[in-house]
């Protein structure tokens, strides 16, 4: 079937994390969601020093990596639990090359994004998971997901195809960028 969006997740509730307010509580929504240069319309980031902005407009996480964590932690990892905007399937996000570009949805109404950097998790992820210092464990695996820059705005919804339309040849991947 190829790579696709499994879920589009927006903030459900702003909650108090271990050290500050956080919008990590993201949950799937139905239907198409408009995407601007700063991310999903209707979503939110609380600490914009570290989250959001043009180079971190969207956060994508692979369903395959979530399944790995599900086995590792012996618990369900539903879409949005790690705070991602886009839960994907069939796309190796850990192996995605920095600068890689993805067409999500069709060229008329879909979006074009560029892989910019790996996520640097903070203590709010540990608080969300209820596991002390989990964010350190999460980071060490390299299975951290990718921050995306929106190059072409449009809309996105669950079921949209994802096509890699450009891949730089430098070889620096999301999984290796933190090493």
């Amino acid at each position: 079937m190829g790579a696709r969006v499994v879920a589009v997740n927006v903030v459900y509730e702003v909650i108090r994390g271990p050290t500050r307010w956080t919008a990590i509580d993201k949950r799937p929504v139905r239907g198409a969601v408009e995407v601007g240069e700063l991310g999903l319309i209707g979503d939110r980031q609380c600490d914009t020093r570290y989250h959001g902005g043009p180079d971190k407009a969207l956060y994508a996480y692979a369903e395959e990596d979530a399944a790995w964590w599900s086995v590792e932690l012996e618990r369900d990892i539903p879409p949005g639990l790690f705070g991602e905007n886009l839960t994907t399937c069939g796309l190796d996000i850990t192996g995605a090359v920095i600068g890689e570009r993805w067409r999500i949805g069709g060229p008329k109404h879909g979006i074009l994004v560029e892989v910019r950097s790996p996520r640097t998790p903070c203590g709010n992820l540990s608080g969300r998971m209820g596991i002390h210092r989990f964010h350190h464990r999460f980071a060490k695996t390299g299975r951290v997901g990718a921050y995306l820059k929106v190059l072409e705005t449009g809309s996105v919804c669950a079921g949209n195809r994802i096509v890699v339309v450009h891949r730089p040849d430098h070889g620096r991947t999301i999984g290796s960028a933190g090493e």
Side-chain angles (χ1 to χ4, degrees):
M1 179 164 184
R4 63 184 171 83
V5 174
V6 173
V8 178
N9 312 297
V10 299
V11 68
Y12 177 76
E13 181 179 14
V14 173
I15 57 176
R16 180 73 182 156
T19 59
R20 59 190 169 271
W21 290 96
T22 176
I24 197 170
D25 185 4
K26 302 207 189 292
R27 300 186 192 181
V29 294
R30 293 177 186 237
V33 178
E34 290 297 315
V35 180
E37 291 178 359
L38 296 177
L40 298 174
I41 305 303
D43 192 38
R44 182 172 173 196
Q45 295 87 26
C46 287
D47 190 346
T48 55
R49 291 174 299 164
Y50 305 107
H51 305 290
D55 287 328
K56 296 179 179 181
L58 296 171
Y59 172 46
Y61 202 79
E63 184 177 64
E64 294 83 356
D65 288 331
W68 184 87
W69 278 112
S70 181
V71 170
E72 184 77 10
L73 299 174
E74 298 178 341
R75 69 186 272 191
D76 188 36
I77 307 293
L81 185 65
F82 292 143
E84 75 272 15
N85 299 115
L86 304 175
T87 307
T88 67
C89 179
L91 181 66
D92 180 8
I93 293 179
T94 302
V97 176
I98 306 293
E100 187 172 293
R101 292 182 178 179
W102 307 338
R103 168 71 61 195
I104 303 175
K108 233 180 180 178
H109 302 290
I111 62 174
L112 180 67
V113 297
E114 183 175 275
V115 174
R116 299 298 286 175
S117 64
R119 175 189 189 172
T120 305
C122 67
N124 284 328
L125 179 61
S126 297
R128 173 95 162 132
M129 298 301 292
I131 302 171
H132 182 67
R133 298 181 55 82
F134 176 73
H135 63 291
H136 294 289
R137 181 176 172 189
F138 187 80
K140 284 180 186 175
T141 67
R143 297 170 185 262
V144 295
Y147 280 124
L148 309 173
K149 179 181 181 95
V150 177
L151 301 177
E152 292 178 13
T153 62
S155 64
V156 64
C157 67
N160 279 159
R161 285 187 42 196
I162 304 171
V163 177
V164 177
V165 296
H166 170 73
R167 181 171 285 141
D169 60 8
H170 58 71
R172 188 164 184 230
T173 65
I174 288 295
S176 69
E179 296 175 350

